[in-house]
Amino acid sequence: MQVKTFEEYQKTYQYSVDYPEQFWEGIANNFQWRKKWNKVLSWNFSEPNIKWFEGAKLNITENCLDRHLAENGDKPAIIWEPNDPNKESITLSYKILHEQVCRFGNVLKKNGVKKGDRVCIYMPMVPELAVAVLACARIGAVHSVVFGGFSAKSIADRINDAECKIVITADGAFRGAKQIQLKEVIDDALIGCPTVEKVIVLTHTRTPVSMLKGRDLWWEDEIKLVDTNCPAEEMDAEDLLFILYTSGSTGKPKGVVHTIGGYMVYAGYTFSNVFNYQPDEVFFCTADIGWITGHSYIVYGPLSQGATSLMFEGIPTYPDASRMWQVVEKHKVNILYTAPTAIRSLMSFGLEPVQGVDLSSLRVLGSVGEPINEEAWHWFDENIGKSNCPIVDTWWQTETGGIMISPIAYVTPTKPSFATLPLPGIQPILVDEQGNEIEGNGVSGNLCIKFPWPGMLRTTYGDHERCKLTYFSTYENLYFTGDGCLRDEDGYYRITGRVDDVINVSGHRIGTAEVENAINMHAGVVESAVVGYPHDVKGQGIYAFVIFPNTHNDEDLTRKDILQTVTRVIGAIAKPDKILFVSGLPKTRSGKIMRRILRKIAEGDTSNLGDITTLLDPAVVEEIIEKAKK
Ligand code: 6R9
């Protein structure tokens, strides 16, 4: 199913547009099904109602594990590199991973988890995280992985939204020089989660934890009580595989739902093609499994293709800025998939950390999560790829399940800061504010997709109306991505960033409304407005304009207090980089905050603020500009 030349890409692309069902049927035939579909696709974007491979039966873990056992049972499935470089790395062959997944699947069953039940996973980046995810899929349970950086309140919201029956966690996590007390956070979260019956706790950091009788169980004890015989549950292609929460422009994070058959086909197809994966290569995706990139390109994509996936517990700068390159050298990584924010952060340490490290195993480089600026692109190309590795700048989203617009390594000619062309099967379209198609090249607009693909979200958990409103109502009959996009003279796509109130901080999506709600929970705060601004390393930083709470007069301490509140409510990842205290916010006469103006001020560009005469109180703008300069 790999495209090999640019001519073949062009032909395949055209075929996929002319005969989408035949195209996807051909791709799906590369996977193992217990029973094939009656119908490849039925869809409408108005409800929306999207079904791929209807009537087909399968289990995704048979595709990710069992089918590789006969020929590749001893091949490494997962190589784990710990946070501490002095600790041993661990390799799990397909045979061993299969065994562990089956065993843990039985642990889940023993503890009452049934097909369709939701399981919350809040774990460090250890092999057991992949085992837990796959064990859910094995027995037909729906996983909801929550990133280790979220607060107790955020976890509780997610657990309650999905009505999870069980939580899988660990005592703690190592992240660089820091330790995160995962179990403690879970204990706080569970005070408000009536649906959770059991908590399974893995020993990892050996930090003391409280274990509640009747509810909490040790992973190590549980796996001794079961055997490794765990037949895969037969699932429908459209049964739920997982829920993953992501921020939008309004309200609480929504649970993006992916279903088994389509997601599997899409993750496997994109992995194999985009990275040009060759047998026996080592693939290293530096994301956390708490994000979609980890789901699709640490777990499901690589394993469905029988690949070796490297899982790294630590961070690129610990114990020093050469760590990521050391990991590449140590495990002879062939394909490195990382984020612009990591590249920019490592760039700032100069070339010394790269020198003397053998990076000659590298063959393909990848980028994901946010637009990659030209400087970072060139640095990555020259110093890491030695101008000899194609860079695939992959654009996609939690909602798309897998890569959508991207070069195919060794096939598509690349261009710095361009995600280049849609993969075969993907039909992007640019529209203006009214939803009219903008045709031709050398144009910009809002990026939409006009035809379904197997990896697309099916709904937002428990609230289908919200899915419809967020993605399918802005423009009729189109999936709206929320991104702005340029199509250049060559027809190449460059994603320019979000056009809604979502900020992309270090490749993580954060809704401005969510941060505002958190800030407004702080005692004394009357109102706040949050916008993004350009940040050298993070891509975008969070800038909060807050009406000063007159609780006490120490601005500095109040600022820290507010950060503390945001950390409690959402998690440290949502902490504003800047807080500016103001006496009022620029509002229209109808009371709407003029974010456009605040965005300009945050960017430090106040030369052209546009028309501010419609404001309720134009003087407030002067005040904010003055304060922001200081
Ligand atoms: C996979 C992932 C999605 C948002 C997306 C866009 C931005 C992702 C990008 C990119 C420019 C790229 N984004 N990849 N922008 N170039 N190659 O990141 O999913 O966390 O849901 O974020 O990230 O704005 O809409 P998710």
Side-chain angles (χ1 to χ4, degrees), residues 134-419:
L134 291 164
C136 289
R138 184 89 180 166
I139 66 164
V142 179
H143 56 78
S144 165
V145 183
V146 178
F147 174 63
F150 281 111
S151 70
K153 183 180 182 309
S154 293
I155 300 166
D157 288 347
R158 286 160 172 75
I159 288 176
N160 289 334
D161 186 75
E163 300 180 293
C164 295
K165 192 171 193 177
I166 202 166
V167 176
I168 308 169
T169 188
D171 46 1
F174 298 112
R175 264 186 82 72
K178 284 194 221 145
Q179 268 200 40
I180 305 164
Q181 311 299 330
L182 297 178
K183 175 61 164 59
E184 201 175 299
V185 180
I186 288 294
D187 288 336
D188 288 346
L190 293 190
I191 293 170
C193 298
T195 57
V196 174
E197 294 167 11
K198 294 273 167 63
V199 181
I200 301 178
V201 187
L202 177 80
T203 306
H204 183 54
T205 55
R206 305 207 144 268
T207 182
V209 294
S210 126
M211 294 290 284
L212 193 68
K213 192 183 282 171
R215 186 194 70 182
D216 299 351
L217 305 159
W218 291 109
W219 176 296
E220 295 75 12
D221 293 342
E222 288 300 298
I223 55 172
K224 285 188 200 131
L225 305 175
V226 294
D227 62 23
T228 56
N229 177 29
C230 180
E233 189 76 33
E234 184 165 285
M235 306 298 288
D236 277 336
E238 282 297 337
D239 279 338
L240 269 58
L241 177 61
F242 65 85
I243 308 171
L244 188 57
Y245 287 83
T246 187
S247 294
S249 46
T250 53
K252 279 190 189 161
K254 45 189 175 285
V256 169
V257 169
H258 285 287
T259 57
I260 301 168
Y263 174 82
M264 170 185 79
V265 168
Y266 201 65
Y269 157 76
T270 52
F271 170 77
S272 166
N273 268 283
V274 171
F275 301 105
N276 183 247
Y277 183 83
Q278 302 300 315
D280 300 327
E281 286 192 326
V282 177
F283 179 82
F284 177 17
C285 166
T286 67
D288 191 290
I289 294 180
W291 308 108
I292 189 69
T293 306
H295 281 62
S296 300
Y297 300 109
I298 296 178
V299 183
Y300 290 113
L303 298 182
S304 75
Q305 301 308 297
T308 298
S309 180
L310 176 71
M311 192 174 165
F312 176 39
E313 181 187 20
I315 56 172
T317 49
Y318 178 83
D320 60 54
S322 72
R323 182 67 192 280
M324 206 156 96
W325 319 129
Q326 302 282 356
V327 175
V328 169
E329 178 181 75
K330 177 172 174 190
H331 297 287
K332 300 200 171 43
V333 169
N334 305 104
I335 308 172
L336 172 66
Y337 190 30
T338 189
T341 187
I343 299 167
R344 286 191 300 263
S345 146
L346 293 173
M347 259 169 80
S348 70
F349 292 90
L351 284 179
E352 209 208 291
V354 186
Q355 282 153 359
V357 185
D358 181 3
L359 299 176
S360 60
S361 57
L362 287 173
R363 205 174 57 82
V364 176
L365 302 176
S367 169
V368 61
E370 52 177 316
I372 178 165
N373 49 308
E374 289 206 28
E375 200 193 347
W377 196 99
H378 285 296
W379 190 88
F380 200 32
D381 180 40
E382 286 156 26
N383 301 301
I384 306 307
K386 315 290 180 192
S387 306
N388 209 14
C389 301
I391 297 182
V392 291
D393 174 1
T394 63
W395 173 83
W396 59 295
Q397 312 177 294
T398 304
E399 296 85 345
T400 69
I403 298 166
M404 301 283 283
I405 303 181
S406 167
I408 296 176
Y410 294 99
V411 169
T412 317
T414 60
K415 193 189 279 192
S417 82
F418 279 80

Side-chain angles (χ1 to χ4, degrees), residues 12-37:
T12 310
Y13 187 81
Q14 197 51 48
Y15 176 73
S16 79
V17 172
D18 296 339
Y19 306 97
E21 297 188 22
Q22 287 88 330
F23 170 75
W24 286 114
E25 181 155 48
I27 301 290
N29 279 328
N30 292 292
F31 294 80
Q32 190 179 305
W33 306 81
R34 292 228 187 141
K35 174 180 172 284
K36 289 219 175 151
W37 43 91

